């Protein structure tokens, strides 16, 4: 994923974030994003639902639209942009306004709750309205801002965190 993969509003938002990060961190935005990830790790939040199973991107998008509330994809899927009919990579994050409602729309015999956060395929997390600033759409899916995607990937760690660090070092 590169800056050219994002639409106009997301590029504008990303450029604004880049400028703010440089100002706030005296030239080291990567350290600032890492600090944000350490403080706001999605796997350690309250009001989170961990799901496992075969979860296609289209299923998540349909649930998001059906919820009639704001929603955005982040985490590993935000780095990969999986096709609409493909399974999302672990750990994908779905930010939403109503975790309970989204859980009702997503769970069935093939998608169930998980008690092991790091083994989840999808983490459904309650988002504050500010999280939806800078969202963009790609292939009928709403994604969180590139900075939020990076924060979530780094907070998850492992290869997902490494990929995000590689990406933001090029910003």
């Amino acid at each position: 994923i590169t800056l050219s993969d994002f639409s106009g509003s997301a590029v504008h938002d990303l450029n604004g974030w880049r400028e703010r990060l440089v100002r706030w961190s005296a030239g080291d935005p990567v350290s600032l994003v890492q600090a944000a990830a350490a403080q706001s790790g999605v796997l350690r939040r309250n009001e989170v639902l961990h799901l496992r199973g075969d979860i296609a991107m289209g299923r998540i998008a349909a649930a998001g639209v059906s919820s009639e509330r704001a929603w955005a994809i982040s985490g590993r899927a935000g780095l990969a942009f999986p096709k609409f009919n493909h399974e999302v990579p672990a750990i994908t994050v779905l930010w939403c306004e109503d975790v309970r409602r989204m859980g009702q729309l997503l769970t069935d015999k093939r998608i169930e709750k998980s008690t092991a956060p790091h083994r989840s395929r999808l983490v459904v997390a309650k988002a504050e309205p500010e999280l939806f600033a800078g969202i963009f759409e790609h292939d009928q899916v709403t994604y969180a801002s590139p900075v939020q995607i990076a924060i979530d990937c780094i907070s998850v760690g492992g290869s997902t965190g490494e990929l995000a660090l590689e990406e933001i070092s090029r910003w």
Side-chain angles (χ1 to χ4, degrees):
I1 187 170
T2 65
L3 193 56
S4 63
D5 293 322
F6 297 110
S7 66
S9 64
V11 170
H12 176 73
D13 182 66
L14 183 57
N15 286 333
W17 268 104
R18 182 181 352 194
E19 291 167 12
R20 284 189 292 277
L21 291 173
V22 169
R23 270 195 323 270
W24 294 336
S25 62
D28 187 14
V30 173
S31 294
L32 187 59
V33 171
Q34 286 177 303
Q39 294 299 313
S40 67
V42 70
L43 296 180
R44 295 181 300 277
R45 287 178 161 254
N46 294 327
E47 294 192 67
V48 174
L49 176 63
H50 302 279
L51 299 175
R52 64 181 183 185
D54 299 326
I55 308 170
M57 181 58 83
R59 173 86 185 262
I60 297 169
V65 171
S66 294
S67 76
E68 299 180 344
R69 308 286 302 268
W71 63 281
I73 293 292
S74 188
R76 185 68 179 247
L79 296 177
F81 292 146
K83 294 199 181 298
F84 204 72
N85 60 343
H86 288 178
E87 191 172 313
V88 296
I91 295 174
T92 292
V93 178
L94 171 59
W95 290 104
C96 63
E97 294 180 310
D98 187 345
V99 173
R100 187 180 68 74
R101 174 72 177 133
M102 200 63 77
Q104 291 170 339
L105 292 167
L106 286 168
T107 55
D108 64 14
K109 293 177 186 174
R110 294 173 302 160
I111 302 172
E112 56 189 23
K113 293 178 183 176
S114 172
T115 57
H118 276 90
R119 294 179 189 244
S120 302
R121 174 156 309 276
L122 180 67
V123 176
V124 182
K126 180 168 178 47
E128 298 302 321
E130 298 80 17
L131 187 127
F132 299 110
I135 61 174
F136 64 98
E137 189 172 308
H138 177 78
D139 195 24
Q140 303 176 13
V141 176
T142 302
Y143 287 89
S145 74
V147 170
Q148 185 64 49
I149 291 169
I151 289 169
D152 292 336
C153 288
I154 293 167
S155 77
V156 167
S159 62
T160 299
E162 291 170 14
L163 284 171
L165 283 171
E166 261 180 59
E167 177 59 34
I168 66 172
S169 69
R170 293 190 291 259
W171 294 353

